[in-house]
Amino acid sequence: MTIPTVNTNFSEISKNATDHWKDITSGTRAWIRIGTALCGKAAGGDAILASVQASLNSRGIDALVSEVGCLGLCFAEPLLDIQMPGGSRVFYGNVRSEDVDSILNSHLVSGIPVTEKALGYLGEVAVDGIPNLDDHPMRVMTERIALRNAGVIDPYDINQYIANGGYQGLNKVLTEMTPQEVLDEVTGSGLRGRGGAAFSTGTKWGFLAGSGAPVKYILCNCEEGDPGAFNDKGILESDPSTVVEGILIAAYATGASNGYIFIRHGHDGPIDRARAAVSDAYRLGLLGDNILGTDFSFNLEIALTGDSYVSGEETALMEAIEGSRAMPRYRPPFPAQVGVFGKPTNINNVKTMAYVPEIVSKGGEWFSGIGHDRSTGTAILCLSGNLKYTGMVEVPMGLTLRQVIYDIAGGIPNDKSLKFVQTGGPLGGVLGADNIDLVLDFEVFREAGAILGSGGIIAADEDVCIVDLTRALIAFCQYESCGKCFPCRMGMSHLLEVLERICKLESEPGDLDLMRNIGGNMQAGSLCGHGQLGF
């Protein structure tokens, strides 16, 4: 059902948002931000939030308290940052509930930051005894485009997003550009899908734009079930409005009328924050009928799925939205011809959509000037495993894995050596330590037998057994196979049997050749990447 909207001039929306932002950042109250993304919650962010509120209440201090998303420094969670009126933000990392009252007393009441517990500061005003957070290894080499607002704005406050340039891109396309000009801008940027396939986004949108159907769908995929990947959820938890805006721009360019953001059930942070962003967009007239007084109309909903890894595949995703079991469809017909509910459909990843507003605002040429060869823009990487610094970073394409592992993530702890890196999720690849001079580039990784995929990078030190890891990855893939394709269903089970035998030191002559045989059959006979990339 279409939700009625109030058509409002964008300049008025922008002015109100800017005034709101000035009140927050230049007013008389301190602004306290607490990381409550999945990494923050896992580290105890909710307890820190409760302790902050209790301390403020007991001292009668009037301060603005906001829950924010992931700044990317997951190793330092829970993060607490305090910004005094007119001052810089001071970040306290790995905060414990028992630390909160003393930090607030010193910082808010006495005006003295607790230097020995501070991780760093951000802002124009230097803070004595505390390093600039931009000098931290996990920030020095970054270029934040999709993550530009992550950990900065309150994801529940759409005005903070608008005050920081949000919806400028949508306003630009509605007032200055034709749908074809938007398509040309995105195509010229070189943006490629960040869900794993790395297909040209502009070309993919063009397939849908070519359909004259009156009802067309834009789907945004946040199923994200890869172990070691958390950037899609991180974006929706931190800055959901950028995804909504990206979807709206895609809808305008393709003539789409309806859309869904598809999120795995149980991921409450991304779900709640995405729902709030959609609701606020309707309230301001940025979704619904005749958006911003134009003849462009678009309706967007949040769709949930159960714990099904395969539902991240685009045709299985459509089956899940329709209420069926998530299993891939035979192709052709392709989604741009016959998609969800039988209507022409386009599916993009969360990261892909998050880039679009900035590309439209700053121009495709700006985006194409970042990166390496045909891999333009940035890579959003999730760093985990045996690393000094773990978290989520956005870096220009073209850096090497060595730079990522050693310069950004701080290398391998305890003076141990790197043994291998597993990239792109369980269907990705494994690169030995002698391959870490590869540059972040879709083609370079593919030629090396790996993929960037979802952006997950899991580092393993000298003590990790590659056979055990392979068994664990195949066990995951065997469990998550939807079972529709015989080569995948039986192939995964057969691979796991062989690996279990090897791990028990009961291997037989020819086991490796047998595994290669099974993998070849899976690649040739499976419907989707789960079987095609599973070996």
Side-chain angles (χ1 to χ4, degrees), residues 226-248:
D226 284 354
F230 39 86
N231 41 29
D232 288 347
K233 294 187 287 288
I235 291 172
L236 279 183
E237 288 179 305
S238 304
D239 191 14
S241 289
T242 196
V243 179
V244 174
E245 185 181 3
I247 293 170
L248 277 161

Side-chain angles (χ1 to χ4, degrees), residues 293-305:
T294 69
D295 59 1
F296 172 59
S297 300
F298 185 76
N299 287 291
L300 182 64
E301 300 178 52
I302 307 298
L304 306 183
T305 178

Side-chain angles (χ1 to χ4, degrees), residues 208 314-315 318 331 333-339 343-347:
L208 185 64
E314 61 180 22
T315 61
M318 294 188 295
R331 289 172 287 188
F334 294 95
Q337 301 164 306
V338 180
K343 306 299 183 183
T345 302
N346 177 274
I347 302 99

Side-chain angles (χ1 to χ4, degrees), residues 59-378:
R59 296 179 180 279
I61 297 174
D62 180 24
L64 175 64
V65 179
S66 297
E67 297 182 52
V68 297
C70 181
L71 192 69
L73 310 176
C74 302
F75 73 94
E77 293 286 358
L79 273 169
L80 165 68
D81 84 77
I82 302 174
Q83 183 173 6
M84 299 298 286
S88 295
R89 301 169 63 188
V90 175
F91 294 79
Y92 298 98
N94 301 126
V95 179
R96 301 173 300 172
S97 292
E98 54 266 34
D99 297 330
V100 169
D101 192 63
S102 61
I103 290 174
L104 296 188
N105 180 57
S106 180
H107 200 133
L108 299 183
V109 178
S110 303
I112 303 172
V114 186
T115 56
E116 64 270 21
K117 295 182 179 179
L119 181 68
Y121 80 89
L122 287 176
E124 296 179 358
V125 182
V127 182
D128 290 342
I130 299 177
N132 190 322
L133 197 62
D134 279 334
D135 293 331
H136 191 279
M138 286 197 79
R139 291 181 64 89
V140 168
M141 305 177 78
T142 62
E143 185 154 354
R144 291 162 68 91
I145 301 173
L147 298 180
R148 61 195 179 279
N149 293 321
V152 177
I153 66 171
D154 183 338
Y156 289 106
D157 188 347
I158 193 173
N159 283 311
Q160 292 188 29
Y161 174 70
I162 294 171
N164 284 275
Y167 284 105
Q168 294 284 352
L170 177 64
N171 184 58
K172 179 180 178 180
V173 303
L174 292 181
T175 59
E176 301 176 20
M177 302 176 74
T178 66
Q180 185 59 51
E181 287 173 335
V182 178
L183 277 175
D184 292 342
E185 199 73 68
V186 173
T187 303
S189 74
L191 176 65
R192 297 165 68 177
R194 294 310 200 254
F199 190 76
S200 165
T201 301
T203 302
K204 191 173 186 179
W205 287 9
F207 296 152
L208 185 64
S211 169
V215 177
K216 296 189 284 189
Y217 283 86
I218 294 286
L219 307 183
C220 183
N221 184 359
C222 187
E223 196 285 329
E224 195 175 42
D226 284 354
F230 39 86
N231 41 29
D232 288 347
K233 294 187 287 288
I235 291 172
L236 279 183
E237 288 179 305
S238 304
D239 191 14
S241 289
T242 196
V243 179
V244 174
E245 185 181 3
I247 293 170
L248 277 161
I249 293 170
Y252 177 78
T254 60
S257 56
N258 297 81
Y260 287 97
I261 300 176
F262 184 81
I263 310 174
R264 180 178 285 212
H265 178 78
H267 292 172
D268 293 340
I271 293 168
D272 293 344
R273 295 176 186 191
R275 281 176 170 163
V278 169
S279 177
D280 283 346
Y282 272 113
R283 177 175 55 82
L284 292 180
L286 299 167
L287 276 171
D289 294 333
N290 304 114
I291 295 170
L292 294 178
T294 69
D295 59 1
F296 172 59
S297 300
F298 185 76
N299 287 291
L300 182 64
E301 300 178 52
I302 307 298
L304 306 183
T305 178
D307 292 337
S308 170
Y309 179 68
V310 175
S311 61
E313 193 276 334
E314 61 180 22
T315 61
L317 180 155
M318 294 188 295
E319 290 287 312
I321 288 176
E322 292 175 4
S324 301
R325 182 179 174 185
M327 303 174 80
R329 297 175 178 177
Y330 293 99
R331 289 172 287 188
F334 294 95
Q337 301 164 306
V338 180
V340 69
F341 304 118
K343 306 299 183 183
T345 302
N346 177 274
I347 302 99
N348 285 121
N349 175 263
V350 165
K351 295 183 285 294
T352 309
M353 290 300 191
Y355 285 112
V356 171
E358 287 291 277
I359 289 174
V360 169
S361 295
K362 296 181 178 178
E365 186 176 351
W366 160 78
F367 190 81
S368 66
I370 304 167
H372 180 266
D373 199 14
R374 291 178 53 229
S375 298
T376 63
T378 59

Side-chain angles (χ1 to χ4, degrees), residues 425-473:
L427 302 176
V430 175
L431 297 170
D434 56 344
N435 275 328
I436 63 168
D437 287 312
L438 291 176
V439 299
L440 299 178
D441 178 287
F442 295 120
E443 278 69 39
V444 170
F445 265 59
R446 189 175 296 119
E447 289 169 6
I451 60 173
L452 272 176
S454 55
I457 292 183
I458 304 174
D461 68 20
E462 61 197 61
D463 295 332
V464 178
C465 174
I466 184 63
V467 180
D468 285 339
L469 176 74
T470 303
R471 186 206 62 80
L473 294 174

